[in-house]
């Protein structure tokens, strides 16, 4: 793949090295030529100095043959303009933009441009470390809407299929750990003693979901 990255800050430079180490060709755009120092002398890709949403600059970075484009500069407006140009003008199929304002992120997600809402995600993670609420969260999506949490299961659920738990909680089982091994359950998978069950939830539903999972199945009948 050929990947064009707009922005050579810490994220952009790290992303460039990560992609290059995987065997992809990489071009990095930044207005400040000094920013390319972050790439180091071992970087084998292309560097282009200029405004990231300038069409000629994008062409110089190989946007017309690019398989993917990442807009990770420090400016929301620049990121979304360049991302839309990559998608709508140059037909790049895989486009993602870093957005600091989570409200904008939701709008652009609806336009079909995946975004990473940096501030909201980071703040949410910090709050969970500073003020633990007893919920073991193992994953949270970049828009901070969906998470995977470990659900403490009441012993009365043992011997019943996962479908019963999903119907009672309204949540989906992402996966479970059994005898130290991860596995993808099916609706008919029977819950065994010692299983660790991880559920897909939202912030609005997590409280009720965990309460139901931790309660007796008989109470819900």
């Amino acid at each position: 793949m050929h990947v064009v990255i707009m922005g050579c800050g810490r994220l952009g430079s790290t992303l460039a090295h990560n992609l290059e180490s995987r065997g992809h060709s990489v071009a990095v755009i930044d207005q400040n030529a000094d920013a390319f120092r972050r790439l180091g002398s071992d970087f084998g890709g292309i560097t282009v100095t200029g405004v990231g949403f300038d069409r000629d600059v994008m062409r110089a970075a190989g946007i017309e043959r690019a398989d993917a484009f990442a807009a990770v500069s420090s400016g929301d407006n620049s990121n979304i303009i360049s991302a839309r140009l990559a998608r709508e003008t140059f037909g790049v199929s895989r486009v993602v933009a870093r957005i600091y304002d989570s409200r904008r992120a939701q709008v652009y997600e609806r336009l079909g441009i995946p975004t990473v809402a940096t501030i909201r995600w980071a703040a949410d993670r910090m709050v969970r470390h500073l003020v633990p609420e007893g919920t073991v969260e193992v994953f949270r999506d970049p828009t901070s809407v969906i998470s995977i949490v470990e659900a403490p299961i009441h012993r009365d659920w043992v011997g019943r299929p996962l479908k019963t738990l999903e119907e009672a909680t309204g949540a989906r089982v992402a996966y479970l750990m059994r005898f130290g091994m991860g596995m993808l359950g099916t609706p008919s998978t029977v819950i065994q003693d010692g299983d660790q069950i991880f559920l897909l939830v939202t912030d609005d539903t997590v409280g009720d979901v965990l309460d139901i999972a931790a309660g007796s199945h008989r109470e819900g009948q």
Side-chain angles (χ1 to χ4, degrees), residues 30-159:
D30 201 286
Q31 295 184 74
N32 181 6
D34 289 338
F36 299 130
R37 294 178 182 175
R38 292 190 177 93
L39 295 170
S41 59
D42 59 338
F43 178 66
I46 302 168
T47 57
V48 180
T49 304
V51 176
F53 49 84
D54 181 284
R55 299 186 186 195
D56 290 334
V57 170
M58 297 177 80
R59 289 191 181 97
I63 193 69
E64 291 172 317
R65 62 183 174 89
D67 302 288
F69 178 85
V72 294
S73 76
S74 59
D76 281 4
N77 289 337
S78 297
N79 287 344
I80 206 61
I81 291 171
S82 62
R84 294 194 67 178
L85 271 174
R87 168 70 62 79
E88 298 168 13
T89 301
F90 295 104
V92 180
S93 58
R94 299 181 181 180
V95 175
V96 64
R98 176 170 68 175
I99 302 295
Y100 287 92
D101 186 338
S102 61
R103 292 168 297 181
R104 290 184 179 183
Q106 294 170 5
V107 172
Y108 292 121
E109 286 278 357
R110 288 196 288 270
L111 292 175
I113 298 176
T115 59
V116 178
T118 311
I119 299 300
R120 179 177 175 181
W121 185 88
D124 183 85
R125 298 299 297 174
M126 287 185 179
V127 166
R128 279 170 163 71
H129 283 294
L130 293 170
V131 189
E133 298 174 346
T135 300
V136 180
E137 181 180 292
V138 297
F139 169 82
R140 177 164 289 264
D141 86 289
T143 62
S144 198
V145 173
I146 299 169
S147 60
I148 298 176
V149 298
E150 181 180 354
I153 301 297
H154 192 279
R155 62 180 179 276
D156 284 349
W157 292 101
V158 174

Side-chain angles (χ1 to χ4, degrees), residues 18 38 50 97 115 126 158 164 174 176-177 192:
N18 187 310
R38 292 190 177 93
T115 59
M126 287 185 179
V158 174
T164 308
L176 58 125
M177 297 292 293
Q192 295 184 14

Side-chain angles (χ1 to χ4, degrees), residues 158-203:
V158 174
R160 299 187 177 274
L162 289 177
K163 179 181 179 181
T164 308
L165 179 65
E166 290 183 325
E167 290 175 345
T169 61
R172 293 184 182 180
V173 174
Y175 67 97
L176 58 125
M177 297 292 293
R178 179 172 291 172
F179 305 124
M181 297 291 292
M183 62 179 287
L184 296 175
T186 66
S188 60
T189 298
V190 175
I191 299 171
Q192 295 184 14
D193 189 25
D195 282 351
Q196 293 174 270
I197 298 179
F198 297 84
L199 299 174
L200 285 161
V201 297
T202 64
D203 287 344

